[in-house]
């Protein structure tokens, strides 16, 4: 976990997707920023979004610090991290020096980092704490497909790492839009208990509304997470199994540590100057 | 104190005590009070004392509907924020009107370089690349509707082409940072728009797509009726 030292004269910018439809998309990014701000490691901590304010273009103006670390709050490398964010923030590589002399350091997204494995394990254990791992099939659900979307690759890699480090009956990555399909969860698994962890940044449309329908928990998409009074009670008895459905991994409070680990990983790889 | 905090302090000192739909007042007990401008005189408001409360207040309108655009003139009523100092006020304003003070400071410094509409549309990729084909008449209609003062309170700083003309379908007040967007003639801290936002870019896509479909339909003979 993170042991980042205070970085005077430095700012941190978290870049989220945001949504014009769903109020639950951006709050995890804000909450992680709150936590990191509380720790006082950076002079300034700010968020920006593709579909909400401030935009990435506006975020170029919010820092007074001379150095800014940019962490994309995205699960995987892909269209957003490789095309949209560099274009909008005018980043030319891992380290960009602007005309005003400020240095912007572009970190990697969270999904591939080793500390994400710890977080997925923690969330999987939290939701079914009484059960022995040997009696659980663990499903890590990613999005899959899409424009230059590597979320499936990241989910698969995390499932492999978890399988090495745990005693779950099986650890399987599956997807909304490509095989193995999460809709076939009962055919993919063998244990009497199935724990499903959505490999998403927020409890937005996909993890809170689409996947429960694919799992058969709901017959049609429900209201947004924030507009439901009570979070779902687990487990559910479905298709002859006990089904446990977690909230999106990006809402885990420990995600702030993953973000700080990404900053530390940048320094390790590219140096601090 | 950072330069954005200094800007906020000097703005208040010169009587700019409104920003967008928010009124900012000092409290006799010390500290500051933020309310909806319509609520300045009310004493029945739900009081919160942390800047982070602004996030939830800014998320939903009076009817409880999500507000994807923070500068839309639909800020919720019925709340007050009592904050101890300018740092807390600035933090709250970041949630109500994200980056507004930073953009204002950049403009005062001469650092804010608005991006022309053609540049914004021209740099789009993926599903929004097609917005580069938006015609000027289509842009006038779209921006005239979506960016009207009744939909967004920002003062538009960008032009259609670099160094070129402004959007002609909007009134002159839309381009004046000193204009009170609430229409009350108050001295305001401005909400600046430095380039076409992604909400408008997203709406440009169906406009172009519909025009392309109409053109394709007009260019090809009508399909023979089935059967």
């Amino acid at each position: 976990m993170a042991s980042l030292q205070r970085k005077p004269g430095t700012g941190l910018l978290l870049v989220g997707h945001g949504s014009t439809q769903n109020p639950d998309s951006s709050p995890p990014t804000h909450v992680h920023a709150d936590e990191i701000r509380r720790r006082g490691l950076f002079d300034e901590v700010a968020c920006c979004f593709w579909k909400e304010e401030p935009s990435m273009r506006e975020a170029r103006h919010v820092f007074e610090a001379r150095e800014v670390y940019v962490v994309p709050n995205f699960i995987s490398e892909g269209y957003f991290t490789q095309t949209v964010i560099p274009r909008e923030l005018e980043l030319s590589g891992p380290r960009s020096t602007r005309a005003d002399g400020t240095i912007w350091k572009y970190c990697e997204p969270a999904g591939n980092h080793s500390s994400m494995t710890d977080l997925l394990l923690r969330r999987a254990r939290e939701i079914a704490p009484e059960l022995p791992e040997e009696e659980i099939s663990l499903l890590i659900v990613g999005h899959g497909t899409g424009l230059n979307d590597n979320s499936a690759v990241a989910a698969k890699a995390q499932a492999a790492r978890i399988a090495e480090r745990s005693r779950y009956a099986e650890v399987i990555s599956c997807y909304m839009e490509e095989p193995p399909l999460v809709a076939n969860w009962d055919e993919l698994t063998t244990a009497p208990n199935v724990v499903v962890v959505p490999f998403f940044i927020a409890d937005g449309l996909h993890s809170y509304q689409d996947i429960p329908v694919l799992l058969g928990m709901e017959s049609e998409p429900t209201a947004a997470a924030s507009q439901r009074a009570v979070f779902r009670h687990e487990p559910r008895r479905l298709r002859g199994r006990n089904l446990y459905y977690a909230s999106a991994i990006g809402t885990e409070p420990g995600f702030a540590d993953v973000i700080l680990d990404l900053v530390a990983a940048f320094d390790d790889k590219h140096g601090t100057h | 104190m950072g330069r954005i905090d200094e800007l906020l302090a000097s703005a208040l000192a010169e009587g700019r005590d409104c920003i967008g739909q928010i009124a900012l007042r000092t409290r006799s007990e010390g500290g500051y009070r933020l309310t909806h401008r319509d609520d300045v005189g009310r004493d029945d408001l739900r009081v919160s004392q942390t800047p982070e409360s602004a996030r939830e207040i800014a998320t939903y309108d009076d009817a409880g509907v999500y507000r994807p655009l923070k500068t839309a003139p639909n800020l919720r009523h019925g709340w007050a924020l009592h904050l101890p100092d300018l740092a807390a006020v600035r933090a709250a304003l970041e949630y109500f009107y994200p980056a507004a003070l930073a953009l204002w400071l950049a403009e005062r410094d001469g650092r804010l370089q608005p991006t022309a509409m053609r540049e914004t549309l021209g740099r789009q990729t993926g599903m929004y690349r097609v917005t580069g084909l938006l015609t000027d008449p289509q842009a006038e209609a779209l921006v005239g509707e979506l960016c009207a003062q009744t939909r967004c309170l920002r003062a538009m700083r960008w032009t259609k082409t670099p160094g070129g003309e402004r959007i002609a379908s909007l009134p002159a007040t839309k381009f004046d940072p000193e204009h009170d967007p609430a229409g009350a003639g108050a001295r305001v801290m401005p909400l600046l728009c430095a380039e076409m936002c992604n909400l408008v870019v997203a709406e440009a896509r169906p406009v172009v797509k519909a025009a392309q479909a109409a053109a394709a339909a007009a260019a090809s003979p009508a399909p023979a009726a089935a059967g």
Side-chain angles (χ1 to χ4, degrees), chain A residues 94-263:
Chain A
R95 182 197 306 272
S96 308
T97 304
R98 294 196 191 285
D100 63 3
T102 57
I103 298 169
W104 289 57
K105 300 177 174 181
Y106 190 31
C107 304
E108 294 182 6
N112 278 328
H113 197 271
S114 57
S115 58
M116 176 61 92
T117 315
D118 301 325
L119 210 60
L120 287 163
L121 271 168
R122 190 195 306 176
R123 179 130 286 190
R125 284 170 180 150
E126 276 170 0
I127 193 162
E130 310 295 328
L131 292 176
E133 290 181 353
E134 293 85 345
E135 295 173 19
I136 298 175
S137 295
L138 177 59
L139 289 183
I140 307 297
V141 188
H143 189 280
T145 71
L147 188 67
N148 182 20
D149 180 354
N150 294 308
S151 66
V153 176
K156 190 172 182 179
Q158 290 294 353
R161 283 187 211 147
I162 293 169
E164 287 172 12
R165 291 177 41 185
S166 66
R167 296 204 301 275
Y168 285 106
E170 56 213 345
V171 185
I172 298 167
S173 55
C174 58
Y175 313 102
M176 291 175 60
E177 296 187 352
E178 66 179 74
L181 289 167
V182 63
N184 300 330
W185 63 272
D186 52 326
E187 295 166 16
L188 298 173
T189 56
T190 57
N193 306 291
V194 178
V195 168
V196 180
V197 180
F199 198 43
F200 288 85
I201 287 297
D203 275 323
L205 296 174
H206 294 319
S207 73
Y208 205 82
Q209 299 180 291
D210 296 338
I211 294 174
V213 174
L214 295 171
L215 289 168
M217 293 166 61
E218 310 281 354
S219 56
E220 58 186 46
T222 62
S226 59
Q227 287 159 21
R228 300 190 65 179
V230 183
F231 207 76
R232 294 186 177 92
H233 294 290
E234 309 299 339
R236 299 196 164 208
R237 191 74 189 159
L238 211 59
R239 302 184 192 173
R241 315 287 189 81
N242 297 315
L243 179 67
Y244 296 76
Y245 187 56
S247 48
I249 193 62
T251 65
E252 170 74 38
F255 205 90
D257 290 307
V258 178
I259 290 167
L260 295 177
D261 284 346
L262 294 167
V263 171

Side-chain angles (χ1 to χ4, degrees), chain B residues 95-117:
Chain B
Y95 298 126
F96 284 120
Y97 297 119
L101 294 173
L103 292 180
W104 187 27
L105 179 65
E107 177 157 281
R108 282 165 74 121
D109 286 352
R111 289 182 285 114
L112 188 71
Q113 295 172 331
T115 306
M117 178 185 78

Side-chain angles (χ1 to χ4, degrees), chain A residues 19-23 30-31 34 37 50-54 57-58 61-62 64 79 83 87-88 226-227, chain B residues 2-4 55 60 66 68-71 95 98-99 102-103 106 112 115 123-126 128 154 195 198:
Chain A
S19 170
T20 57
Q21 309 288 327
N22 193 311
H30 283 298
V31 168
D34 289 345
R37 207 174 279 128
W50 172 233
K51 291 289 184 181
E52 295 180 37
E53 299 148 276
R57 306 283 289 178
E58 291 172 335
H61 298 288
V62 305
E64 296 179 45
Y79 176 60
T83 302
R87 185 190 78 208
E88 296 292 289
S226 59
Q227 287 159 21
Chain B
R3 294 199 59 224
I4 295 176
R55 203 148 68 208
Y60 303 97
Y66 176 50
L69 179 65
K70 297 290 184 288
T71 49
Y95 298 126
L103 292 180
L112 188 71
T115 306
R123 74 163 192 271
Q124 301 301 314
T125 55
Y128 296 116
R154 293 191 191 219
E195 69 175 84
N198 286 333

Side-chain angles (χ1 to χ4, degrees), chain B residues 30-204:
Chain B
Y32 297 87
R33 172 180 167 95
L34 276 64
T35 65
H36 193 295
R37 288 171 63 177
D38 295 344
D39 291 345
V40 168
R42 285 175 59 179
D43 57 7
D44 59 344
L45 301 173
R46 186 170 59 90
V47 176
S48 304
Q49 311 215 1
T50 61
E52 290 76 23
S53 310
R55 203 148 68 208
E56 199 261 336
I57 295 167
T59 301
Y60 303 97
D61 66 13
D62 281 330
V65 175
Y66 176 50
R67 300 173 67 229
L69 179 65
K70 297 290 184 288
T71 49
N74 58 355
L75 182 68
R76 188 201 292 188
H77 294 80
W79 54 272
L81 271 187
H82 290 179
L83 299 170
D85 51 35
L86 278 182
V89 171
R90 182 189 162 191
L93 291 179
E94 277 305 314
Y95 298 126
F96 284 120
Y97 297 119
L101 294 173
L103 292 180
W104 187 27
L105 179 65
E107 177 157 281
R108 282 165 74 121
D109 286 352
R111 289 182 285 114
L112 188 71
Q113 295 172 331
T115 306
M117 178 185 78
R118 287 293 158 207
E119 293 178 337
T120 304
L121 296 177
R123 74 163 192 271
Q124 301 301 314
T125 55
M127 66 185 287
Y128 296 116
R129 188 187 295 278
V130 72
T131 61
L133 299 174
L134 191 76
T135 65
D136 268 20
Q138 289 166 345
E140 288 285 350
L142 184 73
V143 175
E145 178 189 350
L146 296 181
C147 306
Q149 212 78 276
T150 53
R151 304 283 289 272
C152 176
L153 298 172
R154 293 191 191 219
M156 193 176 282
R157 309 306 283 155
W158 46 272
T159 51
K160 286 189 278 191
T161 55
E165 294 175 355
R166 306 190 299 212
I167 293 286
S169 54
L170 290 165
T173 51
K174 180 68 186 176
F175 306 92
D176 178 7
E178 293 296 324
H179 176 71
D180 176 5
R187 294 200 69 198
V188 295
M189 292 180 249
L191 303 172
L192 302 178
C193 175
E195 69 175 84
M196 178 184 273
C197 71
N198 286 333
L199 278 69
V200 178
V201 172
E203 292 302 319

